[in-house]
Structures are given as structure tokens and as C-alpha cells.
Amino acid sequence: MSTHSPDSETPTATPVREQWSSISKHVFNSYLEANNAFLASMGVQPPTASKTTDADRDCGASTTVESPLAELAFADEAWLTERSVEEHDELGVGEYVRFTKRISESDVSAFATASGDTNRLHLEDGFAETTQFGGRIAHGTLVAGTISAALARFPGTTVYLSQDLEFLAPVEIGDAVTAECELLEDLGDDRYRVRTTVSAASDDGDENDDGRTVIDGEAVVAISPLPDE
């Protein structure tokens, strides 16, 4: 990883103060969301999510809403979820969940700060244009995180036990990605072997670039019934 600061001089670089303000805003939101999820896991009701202000939208913040799924602390009105069953006792081989979201500029900025991965390939236009990708791309582990988001949407409480991944293609900032998780094998004791894939649709309108598989792999997870509330 490069030690070069993301605020180096490039013609398209965002002013340092403005960039830091934006990153700080999104990191705060990420920490708040993580805290809410932790409180929910402990049986404490987190604050009700509300729509963002105009200032939030200027920073590219998400619009959070109350989640219709008991498994989630909150949702975003732009996220899409499809699942084949609604109850934990209906889970079995062949059941699936699909989760779709667009990878935004704010996602990349927040992930870079939260993870410490400030690779110039993800943050600097001028540098990224000189690489084999021809422009900035999203962090691979950020994109892979949508698999975790999909797993969390199975009915019940999902816990990761293992994950194998193969990164097949890059994801550009602005692409919409869909993570699909399908139960392949019932291992007993609420544990399952799961096929995990992520596909991406380009934001540039190129139909030939839509639906390409960018990540493939398998996971083992435990999906237990939701605790009584």
C-alpha cells in the first residue's frame, strides 16, 4: 500500500478540507450505524432512523429508513432485497437472498478511512487513470461486504464462520452491485454451506458491461432463529 497522502496534487483532487469534512461525516455515520447494530444485538432499541437533511445529501449521505425486516436495525430506501423465504423454519437447500446497492463515492471514502486502506487507486483520479484500470475502482473488500449484507437478510440471525473469495473483475465507483447467497448444503445445527457471488452493472449505460460477475466464492454460516423480543 502506498504511503502517499490522498490529498496530493492532481487536477481532479478534491480540496483537502472539503475531502476531510466529507470523509469525517461518513465515518461518523458508519460508526453510528455500527453502534445501532450492536445495541440491537444486545436487545436495546437503537434510535429510530430518520431521513437525512439537505446538508447530509450534499455530502452524499444515505437516506435511512426503518427496516421492514426484523433481522435489520435499519435500511436505506435505495437498497433492494429479494429473499426466497420469510421464516427461519423454511430455510433449506436452494433458498437464497439477493441484495443490491450502488457503490457510491461516500462508500469508498468512508471505507478508506474506517479500514485504513488509502490506496491511491481508490482515491486519486489522476493516479488511477495511469493504471491498468484506467480510473478509480472500489476496494475489493468493500464490494465483498455486500455478501455479508445479503447473508444478514436471511430470516434469523446470521453469523459468519468462514468465507472463500475469488475476485474476478473490478467495480467502478457508481456501479450497482448485487450480492446473491444461495444455500448449497445443510450442515446441521443451523449451519449451511453457501454459494456467494457478486455481480455488477455499470453506471455508464454499457449494456455489455451489465450483470458481470465480479466476485465468486463460498461461505459457511450459522443461521439461528431470532431471539424472542
Side-chain angles (χ1 to χ4, degrees):
M1 299 300 176
S2 171
T3 58
H4 193 290
S5 171
D7 53 39
S8 61
E9 310 99 14
T10 61
T12 56
T14 305
V16 176
R17 183 174 299 176
E18 179 182 342
Q19 183 183 51
W20 177 249
S21 175
S22 177
I23 291 174
S24 299
K25 174 67 177 179
H26 297 300
V27 171
F28 174 80
N29 286 341
S30 298
Y31 288 163
L32 179 61
E33 293 172 2
N35 183 63
N36 285 345
F38 174 75
L39 291 176
S41 71
M42 298 295 292
V44 179
Q45 182 64 35
T48 301
S50 59
K51 292 188 178 296
T52 54
T53 64
D54 290 340
D56 292 331
R57 294 190 187 94
D58 289 341
C59 291
S62 299
T63 301
T64 55
V65 296
E66 184 176 353
S67 173
L69 301 181
E71 292 76 15
L72 306 180
F74 59 89
D76 184 289
E77 63 180 12
W79 298 343
L80 301 177
T81 298
E82 176 187 351
R83 62 184 189 179
S84 58
V85 292
E86 296 298 325
E87 302 296 334
H88 177 269
D89 59 11
E90 297 176 324
L91 287 175
V93 173
E95 305 304 344
Y96 66 88
V97 170
R98 297 188 185 103
F99 171 72
T100 301
K101 78 177 298 292
R102 191 170 298 280
I103 302 298
S104 68
E105 181 75 47
S106 59
D107 290 332
V108 173
S109 295
F111 186 84
T113 304
S115 67
D117 183 353
T118 55
N119 188 332
R120 298 169 69 189
L121 178 62
H122 308 304
L123 301 176
E124 294 182 16
D125 288 311
F127 174 83
E129 287 168 2
T130 66
T131 69
Q132 68 268 36
F133 300 105
R136 288 193 297 145
I137 62 172
H139 303 74
T141 45
L142 167 60
V143 178
T146 60
I147 294 174
S148 182
L151 290 170
R153 285 158 171 77
F154 275 113
T157 301
T158 303
V159 177
Y160 251 130
L161 300 179
S162 67
Q163 174 77 68
D164 292 324
L165 294 175
E166 183 179 3
F167 295 89
L168 304 176
V171 171
E172 296 181 1
I173 299 169
D175 285 357
V177 298
T178 297
E180 180 170 352
C181 299
E182 180 185 356
L183 304 184
L184 295 181
E185 183 180 0
D186 187 338
L187 301 175
D189 297 326
D190 288 330
R191 295 181 301 126
Y192 297 90
R193 184 168 64 92
V194 189
R195 173 76 182 275
T196 57
T197 60
V198 180
S199 59
S202 177
D203 193 39
D204 59 13
D206 184 355
E207 294 183 0
N208 295 324
D209 205 26
D210 287 353
R212 66 193 187 281
T213 300
V214 296
I215 296 177
D216 193 12
E218 284 193 6
V220 175
V221 300
I223 311 177
S224 58
L226 287 173
D228 295 333
E229 297 183 354

